[in-house]
Amino acid sequence: LKANFSVVQDENNEMNGFITVLSDVTEQERIEQERREFVSNVSHELRTPLTTMRSYIEALTDGAWKDEEIAPRFLDVTQNETDRMIRLVNDLLQLSKMDRKDTGLFKEKVDFVPFFGHIIDRFEMNRRENMAFIRELSKQDLYVWIDKDKITQVLDNVISNAIKYSPKGGTITFKALPGSKYLQVSISDQGLGMPLDTVDKIFDRFYRVDKARSREMGGTGLGLAIAREIIEAHHGQIWAKSQEGKGTTVFFTLPLISQKRRRR
Ligand code: ADP
């Protein structure tokens, strides 16, 4: 805590009071520190694909372009890296919009279970042979007030992570169950899991348990940070439970629209 004192004087230069300004320096320092880290992270994330691209382009310029076998492979790499940078910049733009609170959520009343069902169907159609899907969805109508595009983005991200981090396959379980005021959604996998002390950090910007693996899969490390912003903008919460080598469950809640009619 920092304190600033100023003496207040009247027109005869008599002291008639003083002003104390207390400011929480640790909080300011923390924000400043986070900002510095963020800028440094962004720079690193952009430098990696750029240096990769530079060396491949250099090789092509130095003659690899003439090799019918090598040239397409090298061009493929530069294309993948470009795609990753576009994804990264799009994710960053979305986060920055949300920081400025001008997300512009277009909320509507949605019956959650059929909405969730369609998203699961889309993944189930393209699922790998070694994966099974189980649905434990409420039979009740569960109405929520949501921006469908944004919640679709959250679900897409969490479900694709469950698939991405389950190299050996296994079962993915989808749940949507009502509490008294909130709907609780969970997506469980039997994949790699993660160490206990990392579970809360995966919602931080750029945090990855295994940097190399995430990169290899084309991740930006921002998906869950965006998911958290979206869920919090809907007045819900998001968290995870995980066991290394056993699997991960990601949970989130959304406020239910009360179905009780008000009597006059
Ligand atoms: P990424 O683009 O790296 O997947 P995310 O923000 O979506 O970024 O996730 C952050 C990190 O959390 C991932 O890099 C991974 O280490 C971890 N993670 C997320 N979901 C899972 C999961 N289902 N199983 C294991 N690890 C996960």
Side-chain angles (χ1 to χ4, degrees):
L1 213 65
K2 196 169 102 186
N4 272 325
F5 296 96
S6 317
V7 175
V8 180
Q9 293 172 319
D10 62 18
E11 50 290 14
N12 306 320
N13 288 340
E14 304 267 353
M15 185 181 112
N16 61 5
F18 59 87
I19 300 168
T20 315
V21 180
L22 295 174
S23 47
D24 191 339
V25 181
T26 48
E27 174 65 7
Q28 273 176 14
E29 265 171 13
R30 193 185 58 78
I31 292 169
E32 184 54 25
Q33 171 71 17
E34 267 178 16
R35 196 193 59 79
R36 274 197 297 264
E37 246 168 58
F38 183 68
V39 171
S40 148
N41 277 331
V42 172
S43 317
H44 272 285
E45 294 297 331
L46 285 170
R47 195 173 60 179
T48 312
L50 281 170
T51 48
T52 309
M53 278 169 65
R54 188 177 57 189
S55 57
Y56 280 83
I57 292 170
E58 239 167 47
L60 284 163
T61 318
D62 285 350
W65 67 273
K66 282 183 261 177
D67 189 317
E68 272 182 37
E69 217 180 284
I70 293 177
R73 274 202 285 130
F74 281 17
L75 285 168
D76 217 35
V77 173
T78 59
Q79 191 157 24
N80 282 337
E81 294 300 316
T82 315
D83 287 346
R84 183 214 302 285
M85 282 198 290
I86 292 172
R87 272 202 303 279
L88 180 67
V89 171
N90 283 336
D91 283 356
L92 285 169
L93 279 173
Q94 195 182 347
L95 275 172
S96 122
K97 262 195 201 160
M98 302 215 259
D99 284 344
R100 281 184 280 122
K101 304 270 182 266
D102 64 350
T103 30
L105 293 181
F106 296 104
K107 289 190 190 169
E108 53 187 304
K109 187 177 171 182
V110 174
D111 188 359
F112 192 81
V113 172
F115 163 77
F116 192 21
H118 289 309
I119 295 175
I120 305 170
D121 290 344
R122 177 154 54 76
F123 279 94
E124 193 162 34
M125 261 189 301
N126 302 313
R127 77 175 205 282
R128 304 195 307 260
E129 257 174 29
N130 63 357
M131 302 215 89
F133 281 20
I134 292 181
R135 306 179 195 214
E136 291 178 25
L137 309 179
S138 171
K139 298 273 183 292
Q140 249 172 280
D141 293 342
L142 300 174
Y143 285 101
V144 285
W145 194 249
I146 56 168
D147 182 321
K148 282 167 99 176
D149 286 347
K150 297 279 187 324
I151 298 296
T152 300
Q153 202 186 339
V154 172
L155 288 166
D156 278 353
N157 197 275
V158 173
I159 300 170
S160 38
N161 278 347
I163 296 169
K164 208 157 77 168
Y165 298 107
S166 297
K168 291 200 195 115
T171 302
I172 299 189
T173 309
F174 302 88
K175 293 188 189 178
L177 300 165
S180 61
K181 291 205 171 124
Y182 288 85
L183 154 72
Q184 183 170 305
V185 180
S186 69
I187 292 142
S188 311
D189 64 62
Q190 300 175 324
L192 300 170
M194 65 192 87
L196 201 60
D197 61 327
T198 62
V199 193
D200 292 332
K201 296 190 196 143
I202 60 174
F203 300 95
D204 292 346
R205 297 172 185 194
F206 292 119
Y207 185 83
R208 289 125 150 175
V209 180
D210 181 342
K211 258 209 164 101
R213 180 186 294 273
S214 157
R215 276 234 178 78
E216 211 174 285
M217 312 294 265
T220 62
L222 293 175
L224 289 179
I226 292 175
R228 180 167 67 182
E229 296 279 345
I230 294 174
I231 293 298
E232 287 178 357
H234 282 83
H235 310 290
Q237 284 185 311
I238 186 165
W239 70 98
K241 284 186 183 160
S242 186
Q243 238 185 317
E244 215 171 355
K246 290 261 166 74
T248 304
T249 302
V250 174
F251 302 85
F252 67 83
T253 57
L254 289 170
L256 280 168
I257 299 176
S258 161
Q259 290 300 84
K260 276 183 230 135
R261 291 256 171 78
R262 241 187 253 159
R263 290 222 186 108
R264 292 185 177 238

